[in-house]
Amino acid sequence: MISQEERLRIIADKHKPLYTKNTSLEGFSLTVYPHVFMPNGMSTKIFKKIILKLNQKYGSVLDMGCGSGILSLIISKKTRKVISAEVNMNAVLSTRKNVKDNLIDNVEVRQSNLFENVPERFDLIIFNPPFMNLEPNSQIESALTDFDHQTLCSFFKGARNHLKPGGKIILEFSDMGDETILDNLITKYNFAKKILYQKNVKDFADVPTKVYVLELIPI
């Protein structure tokens, strides 16, 4: 049986551009700089489907951990304003370039460790967090790892205070992460959850995994 460390290495390698890459998705041209997570996996495809199906027009959206910015570009069509937040500076630069190249005028990109540089409240927060409870060995692995669940815990600690009345969170997760921890955080911070999508797939390491998307509403 493959170890979690080996699984992490394989998945990270599949998402790791060693040099600047150009690609396209949903009609958008994308530039992905080195050390930025490539939007080529099942997780991105699933989240993209959920966003495309949203039939509500939002005033403001926060794309937490925006990576290359593809989800920000897609959801920009469904909102007045998007803030794209990302701790990885190369990802910030990628998203800024992709916003500019695709002539998007309602997306602002900020370097921020979670809510550190994001004081506003939002109608919708979207977040595809890292899942695996491992220490990363590279910038790409840090997009997949959440050692001791620090990122997930910090996100939930701050999330409620960054939602407008009636606001909600759409969060993707996987059984690569600790689902008990996730459920405990949802309960601790008083959110109601609804499963928007769930699928059993094989990851890039050919390991069966469950991926799902939750809608979280404060109660």
Side-chain angles (χ1 to χ4, degrees):
M1 183 175 180
I2 189 171
S3 69
Q4 282 292 85
E5 288 78 8
E6 179 65 11
R7 186 182 185 187
L8 170 63
R9 185 192 64 78
I10 293 170
I11 296 172
D13 283 348
K14 293 289 185 178
H15 289 282
K16 179 174 65 178
L18 299 176
Y19 49 88
T20 299
K21 288 191 175 182
N22 295 303
T23 186
S24 62
L25 191 61
E26 290 299 322
F28 297 106
S29 60
L30 299 175
T31 298
V32 184
Y33 291 134
H35 311 298
V36 177
F37 204 71
M38 285 291 295
N40 60 351
M42 181 59 66
S43 184
T44 300
K45 292 176 183 177
I46 288 173
F47 217 140
K48 178 195 71 174
K49 286 181 180 180
I50 295 298
I51 291 175
L52 290 171
K53 288 181 179 179
L54 293 175
N55 53 20
Q56 181 177 344
K57 190 77 173 179
Y58 296 94
S60 58
V61 174
L62 171 62
D63 180 6
M64 181 65 77
C66 62
S68 65
I70 182 57
L71 299 182
S72 294
L73 299 182
I74 293 172
I75 206 164
S76 70
K77 307 296 185 181
K78 298 176 180 286
T79 183
R80 180 179 53 81
K81 177 72 174 181
V82 180
I83 300 295
S84 305
E86 172 62 66
V87 68
N88 178 353
M89 192 60 201
N90 272 22
V92 170
L93 296 174
S94 284
T95 299
R96 284 177 178 164
K97 178 172 175 54
N98 293 331
V99 168
K100 181 179 179 181
D101 289 350
N102 288 281
L103 306 178
I104 305 295
D105 62 4
N106 63 336
V107 176
E108 178 187 344
V109 190
R110 299 179 190 170
Q111 185 178 25
S112 182
N113 184 4
L114 294 175
F115 298 105
E116 183 178 50
N117 294 320
V118 184
E120 299 95 332
R121 291 176 180 259
F122 300 88
D123 298 300
L124 175 65
I125 298 173
I126 61 174
F127 188 31
N128 185 2
F131 306 137
M132 305 177 79
N133 184 15
L134 296 170
E135 292 199 63
N137 295 305
S138 67
Q139 186 71 60
I140 286 294
E141 287 189 4
S142 69
L144 293 160
T145 58
D146 185 15
F147 182 66
D148 204 25
H149 319 292
Q150 295 175 35
T151 297
L152 197 64
C153 291
S154 294
F155 173 79
F156 271 93
K157 184 177 180 180
R160 195 181 187 95
N161 292 331
H162 289 274
L163 288 173
K164 293 180 180 179
K168 64 183 179 181
I169 298 167
I170 297 179
L171 180 140
E172 188 167 359
F173 210 69
S174 165
D175 60 6
M176 282 190 283
D178 191 320
E179 295 173 283
T180 299
I181 293 290
L182 175 62
D183 285 339
N184 288 343
L185 288 168
I186 291 170
T187 300
K188 177 179 179 179
Y189 290 100
N190 295 312
F191 285 94
K193 76 172 181 179
K194 175 183 176 182
I195 298 175
L196 299 180
Y197 186 93
Q198 182 172 304
K199 188 171 185 178
N200 294 317
V201 299
K202 285 191 175 181
D203 64 22
F204 278 124
D206 204 35
V207 178
T209 186
K210 177 180 69 177
V211 181
Y212 51 94
V213 180
L214 301 176
E215 178 184 81
L216 305 176
I217 299 176
I219 54 176

